């Protein structure tokens, strides 16, 4: 049985960590341990799954000193010496430089998951060789295309696997949950410029007289100055009364079950796990057609509405269309989305694919 040491640099319960948990529930063919920062939300979830945790990583390295990076690298070496893995698997490629000393010292192969567009350029700057970096996994065709832009990565074997997702809500129940509010929409994600919440607030200002009223839930923490800008825009556009700022919410799925629409206004999105959660909860996703992975999965599934221009006007039209869907139209989009997830995101299929990649990495040398 292949022994895989997972390096997880964050330890929060955002999209990449939730994808990791879905993976760990479906890899009986691997023996796994996770090296991550101590006292993070992920640790208690790993404990529930009886996954060995080696809490030797350092949280928030991008904001810390070289000394902390050396401490994290030493932590990976310690984890390797304790667990004796056959392969190091990076749940996020941003851990590559920190994991490289341990892999070099102990002659271990690395497989890296590329979950954000920026990490393609980051890996390319490291000029990795196929002897050490045995595989790169893209979470969408959009990320795969970004990786292929860099000649420095041409020699590394490239795979595309959509993240696993196991629906929690039965298909028949997600269309008629108690508490669904027809004119309630949600936007889930960190409040930062790349997520496009300013475009959504502009659209809400245009829809302030929407028949029957409109309520938008913003879920997520964010940058203080950007959040203040969003609030001011809403206030000046007479839309403040239709917006609720909820901050971080642990149970996003239950919240989405109270909404009819999920808005993903990101300028750039490598995948968009929240769209999976929308289909699970029975909310229709609305996304920008130029966003990358989010648009890719909505279009492939025929499971939502895409708007063509990243402007408040274009998003307002799409939102109106989504809110005015009749029950059969809404049900068809949700069924399409869930059917696409079943074909492309099944945890067992995902686990088998990733297990094959990690096992193969142990037997190849580039």
């Amino acid at each position: 049985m292949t022994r895989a040491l997972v390096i997880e640099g964050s330890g929060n319960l955002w999209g990449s960590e939730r994808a990791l948990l879905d993976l760990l529930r479906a890899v009986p063919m691997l023996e796994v341990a996770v090296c991550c920062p101590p006292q993070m939300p992920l640790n208690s979830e790993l404990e529930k799954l009886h996954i060995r945790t080696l809490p030797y990583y350092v949280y928030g390295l991008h904001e810390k000193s070289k000394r902390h990076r050396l401490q994290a690298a030493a932590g990976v070496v310690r984890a390797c010496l304790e667990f004796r893995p056959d392969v190091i698997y990076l749940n996020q490629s941003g851990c590559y430089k920190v994991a490289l000393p341990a892999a070099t010292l102990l002659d271990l192969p690395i497989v890296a998951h590329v979950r954000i567009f920026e990490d393609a350029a980051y890996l390319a700057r490291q000029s990795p060789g196929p002897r050490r970096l045995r595989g790169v996994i893209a979470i969408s065709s959009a990320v795969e295309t970004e990786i292929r832009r860099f000649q420095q990565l041409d020699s590394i074997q490239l795979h595309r696997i959509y993240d696993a997702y196991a629906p929690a809500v039965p298909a028949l129940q997600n269309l008629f949950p108690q508490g669904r509010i027809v004119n309630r929409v949600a936007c889930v994600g960190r409040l930062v410029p790349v997520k496009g919440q300013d475009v959504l607030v502009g659209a809400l200002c245009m829809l302030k007289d929407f028949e029957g009223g409109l309520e938008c839930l913003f879920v997520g923490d964010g940058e203080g100055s950007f959040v203040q800008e969003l609030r001011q825009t809403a206030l000046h556009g007479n839309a403040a009364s239709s917006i609720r700022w909820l901050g971080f919410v642990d149970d996003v799925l239950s919240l989405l079950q109270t909404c009819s629409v999920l808005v993903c206004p990101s300028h750039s999105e490598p995948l968009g796990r929240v769209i999976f959660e929308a289909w699970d909860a029975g909310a229709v996703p609305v996304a920008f057609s130029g966003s990358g992975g989010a648009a890719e999965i909505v279009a492939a599934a025929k499971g939502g509405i895409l708007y063509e221009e990243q402007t408040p006007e274009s998003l307002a039209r799409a939102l109106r269309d989504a809110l005015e869907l009749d029950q059969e139209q809404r049900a068809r989009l949700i069924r399409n989305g869930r059917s696409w997830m079943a074909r492309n995101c099944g945890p067992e299929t995902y686990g088998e694919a990733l297990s094959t990649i990690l096992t193969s990495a142990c037997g190849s040398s580039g």
Side-chain angles (χ1 to χ4, degrees):
M1 181 178 289
T2 301
R3 296 168 64 85
L5 177 66
V6 179
I7 309 298
E8 166 51 49
S10 173
N12 286 297
L13 289 177
W14 297 329
S16 60
E17 292 88 358
R18 292 185 185 277
L20 174 61
L21 291 171
D22 285 337
L23 166 68
L24 295 177
R25 294 185 182 101
V27 286
M29 62 292 292
L30 295 177
E31 186 173 350
V32 178
V34 179
C35 177
C36 58
Q39 300 178 332
M40 297 299 293
L42 177 65
N43 299 45
S44 60
E45 297 300 316
L46 293 172
E47 184 178 353
K48 293 175 187 176
L49 294 176
H50 306 290
I51 300 294
R52 182 176 178 182
T53 304
L54 302 163
Y56 308 143
Y57 209 84
V58 177
Y59 179 76
L61 278 184
H62 62 288
E63 299 175 342
K64 294 183 176 176
S65 66
K66 183 177 180 180
R67 178 179 64 82
H68 289 100
R69 289 192 290 274
L70 291 172
Q71 179 183 342
V76 175
V77 172
R78 179 181 175 184
C80 287
L81 291 174
E82 289 188 16
F83 182 62
R84 297 291 180 179
D86 301 307
V87 59
I88 294 175
Y89 164 59
L90 310 182
N91 191 45
Q92 302 183 63
S93 292
C95 299
Y96 181 77
K97 282 182 70 174
V98 176
L100 186 58
T104 303
L105 178 66
L106 301 172
D107 195 22
L108 294 171
I110 296 175
V111 172
H113 227 120
V114 178
R115 299 187 178 280
I116 59 176
F117 293 114
E118 295 86 346
D119 274 354
Y122 163 78
L123 273 182
R125 289 195 298 271
Q126 314 313 314
S127 298
R131 170 165 171 71
R132 189 62 55 210
L133 183 59
R134 303 282 176 83
V136 171
I137 303 168
I139 63 171
S140 65
S141 294
V143 171
E144 182 180 6
T145 298
E146 181 67 11
I147 292 170
R148 293 190 186 280
R149 289 182 55 235
F150 298 95
Q151 292 183 351
Q152 301 95 320
L153 302 176
D154 285 349
S155 64
I156 311 301
Q157 190 167 8
L158 177 59
H159 312 268
R160 173 174 52 80
I161 310 176
Y162 291 108
D163 278 349
Y165 188 89
V169 182
L172 293 178
Q173 292 182 12
N174 73 352
L175 293 177
F176 307 102
Q178 293 183 353
R180 173 94 75 205
I181 298 175
V182 174
N183 286 358
R184 174 182 282 178
V185 305
C187 180
V188 179
R190 279 186 52 77
L191 301 176
V192 291
V194 72
K195 294 293 187 179
Q197 289 100 345
D198 54 331
V199 180
L200 175 55
V201 170
L204 294 172
C205 292
M206 294 180 174
L207 294 171
K208 60 181 180 293
D209 297 323
F210 186 79
E211 184 177 355
L214 176 62
E215 181 182 30
C216 183
L217 310 181
F218 280 85
V219 180
D221 299 322
E223 297 177 358
S225 60
F226 183 63
V227 174
Q228 185 62 29
E229 178 185 323
L230 295 176
R231 290 176 177 270
Q232 288 298 318
T233 300
L235 183 63
H236 294 154
N238 297 318
S241 62
S242 67
I243 295 175
R244 291 172 58 193
W245 308 93
L246 301 184
F248 177 78
V249 172
D250 184 56
D251 187 1
V252 169
L253 188 62
S254 294
L255 183 143
L256 287 176
Q257 286 186 280
T258 73
C259 304
S260 61
V261 176
L262 177 280
V263 188
C264 182
S266 295
H267 298 278
S268 176
E269 194 69 54
L271 181 63
R273 180 182 174 87
V274 72
I275 291 173
F276 298 163
E277 294 173 316
W279 287 329
D280 193 0
V284 173
V286 173
F288 171 46
S289 65
S291 61
E296 175 186 326
I297 60 177
V298 170
K302 298 181 181 178
I305 293 175
L306 298 177
Y307 62 98
E308 295 301 318
E309 298 177 356
Q310 188 63 312
T311 63
E313 294 82 1
S314 184
L315 176 50
R317 288 192 295 271
L319 262 177
R320 186 180 294 276
D321 289 344
L323 290 166
E324 292 178 349
L325 292 170
D326 62 34
Q327 189 59 48
E328 178 51 38
Q329 292 171 322
R330 183 185 311 279
R332 184 176 66 253
L333 293 176
I334 299 303
R335 285 196 299 265
N336 288 349
R338 289 178 70 105
S339 177
W340 185 90
M341 278 202 301
R343 295 192 305 272
N344 293 276
C345 304
E348 292 77 15
T349 301
Y350 179 83
E352 289 175 6
L354 192 49
S355 296
T356 297
I357 292 169
L358 293 175
T359 300
S360 297
C362 299
S364 63
S365 60

